[in-house]
Amino acid sequence: MEQAMTDSGWRGSHEGWLEAAYESLLESGVDSVKILPLAKRLNLSRTSFYWFFKDREELLGALISRWREKNTGNLIRQSEAYAESLAEAMLNVFDCWLNKELFDSQFEFSVRSWALQSPEILAEVQKADQARVEALGRMFMRFGYEEGPADVRARTTYLVQIGYISMQSTEDLALRMKRIPDYIAIYTGEFPQQRELARFFARHGYKPE
Protein backbone atom coordinates (compact mmCIF):
# COMPACT_ATOMS: atom_id res chain seq x y z
CA MET A 1 0.00 0.00 0.00
CA GLU A 2 2.89 2.39 0.79
CA GLN A 3 4.13 2.16 -2.80
CA ALA A 4 0.64 2.85 -4.14
CA MET A 5 0.36 5.89 -1.81
CA THR A 6 3.51 7.51 -3.14
CA ASP A 7 2.89 6.91 -6.84
CA SER A 8 0.83 10.08 -7.27
CA GLY A 9 2.39 12.19 -4.51
CA TRP A 10 0.18 14.11 -2.11
CA ARG A 11 -3.04 12.86 -3.70
CA GLY A 12 -2.17 9.21 -3.23
CA SER A 13 -3.30 6.99 -6.10
CA HIS A 14 -6.31 5.06 -7.30
CA GLU A 15 -4.72 1.82 -6.13
CA GLY A 16 -3.71 3.33 -2.80
CA TRP A 17 -7.26 4.37 -1.96
CA LEU A 18 -8.59 1.02 -3.16
CA GLU A 19 -6.04 -0.90 -1.08
CA ALA A 20 -6.95 1.14 2.01
CA ALA A 21 -10.62 0.37 1.39
CA TYR A 22 -9.81 -3.33 0.98
CA GLU A 23 -7.88 -3.42 4.26
CA SER A 24 -10.67 -1.59 6.11
CA LEU A 25 -13.27 -3.97 4.71
CA LEU A 26 -11.32 -6.98 5.90
CA GLU A 27 -10.60 -5.50 9.31
CA SER A 28 -13.94 -3.96 10.24
CA GLY A 29 -16.56 -4.53 7.55
CA VAL A 30 -18.11 -2.32 4.91
CA ASP A 31 -19.36 0.30 7.39
CA SER A 32 -15.74 1.24 8.05
CA VAL A 33 -15.07 1.95 4.37
CA LYS A 34 -15.69 5.69 4.45
CA ILE A 35 -13.78 8.53 2.88
CA LEU A 36 -12.62 10.46 5.96
CA PRO A 37 -11.32 7.42 7.90
CA LEU A 38 -9.55 6.23 4.75
CA ALA A 39 -7.98 9.66 4.28
CA LYS A 40 -6.71 9.55 7.86
CA ARG A 41 -5.41 6.04 7.30
CA LEU A 42 -3.48 7.22 4.25
CA ASN A 43 -2.46 10.53 5.84
CA LEU A 44 -4.04 12.38 2.92
CA SER A 45 -6.65 15.09 2.59
CA ARG A 46 -10.27 14.06 2.19
CA THR A 47 -10.56 16.04 -1.05
CA SER A 48 -7.73 14.09 -2.68
CA PHE A 49 -10.09 11.09 -2.78
CA TYR A 50 -12.11 12.81 -5.50
CA TRP A 51 -9.23 12.83 -7.95
CA PHE A 52 -9.72 9.07 -8.25
CA PHE A 53 -13.34 8.27 -7.36
CA LYS A 54 -16.59 10.14 -7.89
CA ASP A 55 -17.96 9.11 -4.52
CA ARG A 56 -17.99 6.31 -1.93
CA GLU A 57 -20.32 4.19 -4.07
CA GLU A 58 -17.81 4.18 -6.90
CA LEU A 59 -15.10 3.04 -4.46
CA LEU A 60 -17.34 0.24 -3.19
CA GLY A 61 -18.04 -0.74 -6.78
CA ALA A 62 -14.29 -0.93 -7.42
CA LEU A 63 -13.93 -3.23 -4.41
CA ILE A 64 -16.57 -5.57 -5.82
CA SER A 65 -14.89 -5.52 -9.23
CA ARG A 66 -11.60 -6.43 -7.59
CA TRP A 67 -13.24 -9.30 -5.70
CA ARG A 68 -15.06 -10.54 -8.82
CA GLU A 69 -11.95 -10.52 -11.00
CA LYS A 70 -9.72 -12.14 -8.40
CA ASN A 71 -11.88 -14.78 -6.76
CA THR A 72 -14.39 -15.64 -9.47
CA GLY A 73 -12.05 -14.99 -12.38
CA ASN A 74 -9.20 -17.08 -11.02
CA LEU A 75 -11.44 -19.95 -9.91
CA ILE A 76 -12.90 -20.17 -13.41
CA ARG A 77 -9.44 -19.97 -14.99
CA GLN A 78 -8.13 -22.71 -12.72
CA SER A 79 -11.09 -24.95 -13.58
CA GLU A 80 -10.22 -24.52 -17.27
CA ALA A 81 -6.46 -25.09 -16.88
CA TYR A 82 -4.83 -28.00 -18.67
CA ALA A 83 -4.97 -31.30 -16.82
CA GLU A 84 -4.29 -34.90 -17.83
CA SER A 85 -7.02 -36.25 -15.54
CA LEU A 86 -10.02 -35.07 -13.58
CA ALA A 87 -8.05 -35.50 -10.36
CA GLU A 88 -5.36 -33.18 -11.67
CA ALA A 89 -8.02 -30.70 -12.82
CA MET A 90 -9.40 -30.67 -9.27
CA LEU A 91 -5.90 -30.10 -7.90
CA ASN A 92 -5.71 -27.05 -10.17
CA VAL A 93 -8.88 -25.77 -8.51
CA PHE A 94 -7.46 -26.60 -5.08
CA ASP A 95 -4.61 -24.20 -5.87
CA CYS A 96 -7.19 -21.49 -5.19
CA TRP A 97 -7.74 -22.66 -1.63
CA LEU A 98 -4.03 -22.57 -0.84
CA ASN A 99 -2.82 -19.52 -2.75
CA LYS A 100 -4.10 -16.11 -1.64
CA GLU A 101 -2.88 -14.62 -4.91
CA LEU A 102 -5.45 -16.77 -6.72
CA PHE A 103 -8.33 -16.71 -4.25
CA ASP A 104 -8.53 -14.42 -1.22
CA SER A 105 -10.59 -16.22 1.42
CA GLN A 106 -10.65 -13.25 3.81
CA PHE A 107 -11.94 -11.03 1.01
CA GLU A 108 -14.56 -13.67 0.22
CA PHE A 109 -15.70 -13.79 3.84
CA SER A 110 -15.91 -9.99 4.03
CA VAL A 111 -17.94 -9.67 0.84
CA ARG A 112 -20.33 -12.40 1.98
CA SER A 113 -20.74 -10.61 5.31
CA TRP A 114 -21.42 -7.39 3.41
CA ALA A 115 -24.08 -9.21 1.38
CA LEU A 116 -26.06 -9.86 4.57
CA GLN A 117 -26.90 -6.15 4.74
CA SER A 118 -27.08 -5.26 1.05
CA PRO A 119 -29.47 -6.78 -1.51
CA GLU A 120 -27.26 -5.46 -4.32
CA ILE A 121 -24.17 -7.20 -2.97
CA LEU A 122 -26.17 -10.35 -2.27
CA ALA A 123 -27.12 -10.38 -5.94
CA GLU A 124 -23.43 -10.06 -6.87
CA VAL A 125 -22.54 -12.97 -4.59
CA GLN A 126 -25.33 -15.14 -5.98
CA LYS A 127 -24.21 -14.34 -9.52
CA ALA A 128 -20.62 -15.28 -8.61
CA ASP A 129 -21.75 -18.52 -6.96
CA GLN A 130 -23.65 -19.51 -10.10
CA ALA A 131 -20.71 -18.70 -12.39
CA ARG A 132 -18.29 -20.66 -10.22
CA VAL A 133 -20.52 -23.74 -9.91
CA GLU A 134 -21.16 -23.71 -13.64
CA ALA A 135 -17.43 -23.55 -14.33
CA LEU A 136 -16.79 -26.51 -12.05
CA GLY A 137 -19.64 -28.37 -13.71
CA ARG A 138 -18.07 -27.80 -17.13
CA MET A 139 -14.81 -29.16 -15.75
CA PHE A 140 -16.50 -32.40 -14.71
CA MET A 141 -18.27 -32.67 -18.06
CA ARG A 142 -14.93 -32.21 -19.84
CA PHE A 143 -13.86 -35.49 -18.26
CA GLY A 144 -16.96 -37.45 -19.17
CA TYR A 145 -19.63 -36.75 -16.56
CA GLU A 146 -23.20 -36.13 -17.66
CA GLU A 147 -24.67 -32.74 -16.86
CA GLY A 148 -26.69 -33.83 -13.80
CA PRO A 149 -23.94 -35.68 -11.92
CA ALA A 150 -21.43 -32.99 -12.97
CA ASP A 151 -23.62 -30.33 -11.39
CA VAL A 152 -23.98 -32.29 -8.13
CA ARG A 153 -20.23 -32.88 -7.87
CA ALA A 154 -19.55 -29.23 -8.70
CA ARG A 155 -21.92 -28.07 -5.98
CA THR A 156 -20.41 -30.48 -3.46
CA THR A 157 -16.90 -29.27 -4.24
CA TYR A 158 -17.82 -25.62 -4.09
CA LEU A 159 -20.22 -25.55 -1.17
CA VAL A 160 -17.81 -27.43 1.10
CA GLN A 161 -15.13 -24.81 0.46
CA ILE A 162 -17.55 -21.92 1.00
CA GLY A 163 -18.47 -23.64 4.26
CA TYR A 164 -14.81 -23.63 5.27
CA ILE A 165 -14.64 -19.91 4.54
CA SER A 166 -17.94 -19.01 6.22
CA MET A 167 -16.99 -20.95 9.34
CA GLN A 168 -13.49 -19.42 9.23
CA SER A 169 -12.17 -22.93 9.63
CA THR A 170 -8.40 -23.32 9.76
CA GLU A 171 -6.20 -26.38 9.41
CA ASP A 172 -2.53 -27.03 9.89
CA LEU A 173 -0.94 -27.12 6.42
CA ALA A 174 0.45 -30.62 6.89
CA LEU A 175 -2.94 -31.95 7.97
CA ARG A 176 -4.71 -30.30 5.08
CA MET A 177 -2.20 -31.65 2.58
CA LYS A 178 -2.60 -35.12 4.08
CA ARG A 179 -6.36 -34.94 3.55
CA ILE A 180 -6.23 -33.68 -0.03
CA PRO A 181 -5.99 -37.07 -1.81
CA ASP A 182 -9.17 -38.19 -0.04
CA TYR A 183 -10.93 -34.92 -0.81
CA ILE A 184 -10.02 -35.35 -4.47
CA ALA A 185 -11.26 -38.94 -4.47
CA ILE A 186 -14.57 -37.97 -2.85
CA TYR A 187 -15.18 -35.07 -5.24
CA THR A 188 -14.02 -36.71 -8.46
CA GLY A 189 -14.35 -40.46 -7.90
CA GLU A 190 -10.64 -41.01 -8.49
CA PHE A 191 -7.45 -40.71 -6.47
CA PRO A 192 -4.73 -38.42 -7.84
CA GLN A 193 -1.60 -40.06 -9.19
CA GLN A 194 1.56 -39.64 -7.16
CA ARG A 195 3.13 -37.47 -9.87
CA GLU A 196 0.06 -35.21 -9.83
CA LEU A 197 0.29 -34.84 -6.07
CA ALA A 198 4.03 -34.19 -6.30
CA ARG A 199 3.45 -31.31 -8.73
CA PHE A 200 0.70 -29.92 -6.53
CA PHE A 201 2.80 -30.12 -3.36
CA ALA A 202 5.75 -28.49 -5.13
CA ARG A 203 3.59 -25.56 -6.24
CA HIS A 204 2.80 -24.87 -2.60
CA GLY A 205 6.24 -25.47 -1.19
CA TYR A 206 5.16 -28.54 0.76
CA LYS A 207 7.38 -31.56 1.28
CA PRO A 208 5.60 -34.65 2.66
CA GLU A 209 7.41 -36.41 5.47
Side-chain angles (χ1 to χ4, degrees):
M1 187 173 73
E2 292 178 3
Q3 179 62 44
M5 285 171 57
T6 58
D7 285 345
S8 299
W10 60 270
R11 295 172 186 156
S13 68
H14 182 280
E15 185 59 29
W17 284 98
L18 184 58
E19 185 67 16
Y22 162 81
E23 291 178 357
S24 292
L25 178 69
L26 266 58
E27 290 170 8
S28 306
V30 68
D31 289 340
S32 70
V33 184
K34 295 180 179 177
I35 299 168
L36 184 56
L38 293 179
K40 290 180 178 178
R41 186 185 191 106
L42 292 167
N43 196 27
L44 295 169
S45 69
R46 184 178 186 276
T47 55
S48 64
F49 170 85
Y50 296 99
W51 284 92
F52 306 104
F53 297 95
K54 182 175 67 175
D55 52 26
R56 178 175 181 262
E57 289 306 309
E58 186 173 45
L59 175 64
L60 294 179
L63 272 177
I64 289 298
S65 294
R66 180 174 177 173
W67 164 77
R68 186 190 304 118
E69 171 58 25
K70 183 168 192 175
N71 285 7
T72 301
N74 282 334
L75 192 153
I76 291 172
R77 281 187 283 273
Q78 287 299 110
S79 75
E80 295 171 345
Y82 173 79
E84 295 178 358
S85 68
L86 178 55
E88 186 173 35
M90 186 61 76
L91 287 170
N92 290 338
V93 171
F94 269 46
D95 285 338
C96 292
W97 317 145
L98 293 163
N99 184 349
K100 187 178 178 180
E101 296 304 311
L102 288 175
F103 190 98
D104 188 334
S105 293
Q106 287 182 293
F107 201 2
E108 186 75 15
F109 179 85
S110 296
V111 170
R112 287 180 178 278
S113 297
W114 179 4
L116 296 175
Q117 62 190 82
S118 168
E120 292 79 13
I121 301 306
L122 177 60
E124 288 283 350
V125 168
Q126 291 172 337
K127 183 178 178 181
D129 287 337
Q130 181 176 352
R132 296 170 187 180
V133 169
E134 288 176 354
L136 291 171
R138 290 193 299 272
M139 182 186 76
F140 280 103
M141 291 173 68
R142 200 167 85 230
F143 288 93
Y145 276 92
E146 296 294 329
E147 183 175 356
D151 177 66
V152 171
R153 287 182 181 270
R155 290 177 183 279
T156 302
T157 301
Y158 180 67
L159 294 176
V160 167
Q161 184 58 35
I162 294 303
Y164 262 93
I165 293 169
S166 298
M167 293 172 64
Q168 296 186 291
S169 179
T170 58
E171 288 177 320
D172 174 81
L173 179 61
L175 176 60
R176 190 162 203 192
M177 289 298 195
K178 183 179 179 180
R179 289 172 171 170
I180 278 176
D182 288 312
Y183 276 126
I184 299 297
I186 290 168
Y187 294 155
T188 67
E190 60 186 61
F191 278 95
Q193 298 295 316
Q194 193 57 45
R195 66 179 183 276
E196 295 169 341
L197 280 174
R199 288 194 291 266
F200 177 78
F201 291 154
R203 289 200 294 271
H204 300 286
Y206 174 70
K207 294 182 179 180
E209 294 183 356

